[in-house]
Amino acid sequence: MPGGQPDLLRRRHALVVVLTFLTGSADALGFLSLGGAFASVMTGNMVLLGLSAGRGEAELALTSGSAIVSFIAGVLAGARLAGAAQPDDPVWPRRVTGALVLELLVFVVFLVVWEVNLANRSEHVDLALLMLSAAALGVQSSAVQRFGVPGLSSTYLTGTLTSLIAGVAARKPWPSLRPKTHVLLALMGGAAVGALVALRLPALAPALLIVPLVFVIAVSARMAEKPSSDVNARRS
């Protein structure tokens, strides 16, 4: 493995951690401010959809169902842009950054709608904002999948938690568990900050989505030029 390869992999992981912080913030905003559904946790939204059917709550059904449909649309768009993992991929393929740019554009629309309606948002505006956020995170989910690394995600992390606990039980070395810990802490940290901002400083809430994403795009644009000569090591 070339000397620079471990550094590139660490940088990629750090950027995925930043994206996961964004995910936690978006989910907190969705749950607390946009109708009680999640922007990325589709398992949770499917449970909410089932609950709404059992309890006859049309509003919850509309909210959770719309988030699911929007996320799927984002995944489809992101998959088209990011493409599938290739044997000769660099550590950070350029098309991943292209998909993240699309996510950024969606969040810019989110920002405009949020700020214009900040003083008095209707339920219809909240639903539109939730759908925009879910679509953006669907794009992000597809973009991270382009890396082709099993278990690497910035949006669906139940498997990451399961893998971490199983690794602890099996007494695996800390270096192999540390990346999973970083991602899970980023999700919880993003949710905590998102909740605080949503309740205390709502005007700044879109910054939690846009600022981390701009940072990731800026840094990854430089990484996209660097080749990966050891794909098997990257995917092990």
Side-chain angles (χ1 to χ4, degrees):
M1 179 181 294
Q5 192 74 5
D7 288 339
L8 290 177
L9 294 175
R10 281 192 289 268
R11 289 183 197 175
R12 183 180 68 188
H13 176 70
L15 295 183
V16 172
V17 168
V18 174
L19 291 176
T20 308
F21 177 91
L22 181 164
T23 297
S25 298
D27 279 327
L29 292 178
F31 188 78
L32 294 175
S33 302
L34 303 177
F38 299 103
S40 80
V41 187
M42 292 304 113
T43 304
N45 285 337
M46 286 187 281
V47 171
L48 292 175
L49 186 59
L51 286 174
S52 68
R55 297 169 61 178
E57 296 184 13
E59 183 177 345
L60 181 59
L62 177 62
T63 301
S64 55
S66 297
I68 293 169
V69 170
S70 298
F71 185 85
I72 291 172
V75 169
L76 291 172
R80 293 280 295 184
L81 278 175
Q86 301 297 321
D88 59 346
D89 272 348
V91 169
W92 192 287
R94 183 184 298 275
R95 292 182 66 175
V96 172
T97 302
L100 295 181
V101 170
L102 173 61
E103 181 186 5
L104 177 61
L105 293 176
V106 175
F107 274 136
V108 168
V109 176
F110 179 100
L111 166 67
V112 173
V113 176
W114 178 283
E115 298 297 342
V116 168
N117 296 277
L118 184 61
N120 185 23
R121 286 202 316 269
S122 67
E123 292 180 358
H124 296 299
V125 171
D126 284 348
L127 182 60
L129 288 167
L130 178 65
M131 293 175 68
L132 286 169
S133 185
L137 290 177
V139 173
Q140 179 180 303
S141 183
S142 289
V144 174
Q145 287 301 293
R146 171 63 194 263
F147 297 134
V149 179
L152 182 64
S153 176
S154 65
T155 53
Y156 46 97
L157 299 172
T158 302
T160 303
L161 176 61
T162 302
S163 178
L164 173 63
I165 301 305
V168 172
R171 298 183 179 180
K172 289 186 177 180
W174 169 242
S176 68
L177 302 177
R178 183 167 48 210
K180 300 178 180 67
T181 305
H182 290 165
V183 168
L184 294 171
L185 289 175
L187 182 72
M188 292 185 288
V193 174
L196 181 64
V197 171
L199 297 174
R200 302 291 181 85
L201 299 167
L204 299 180
L208 295 177
L209 312 177
I210 291 177
V211 172
L213 192 52
V214 169
F215 173 79
V216 171
I217 290 171
V219 175
S220 66
R222 297 183 178 183
M223 292 178 59
E225 297 295 334
K226 300 181 181 296
S228 173
S229 59
D230 195 339
V231 176
N232 291 330
R234 171 162 53 97
R235 294 182 179 176
S236 61

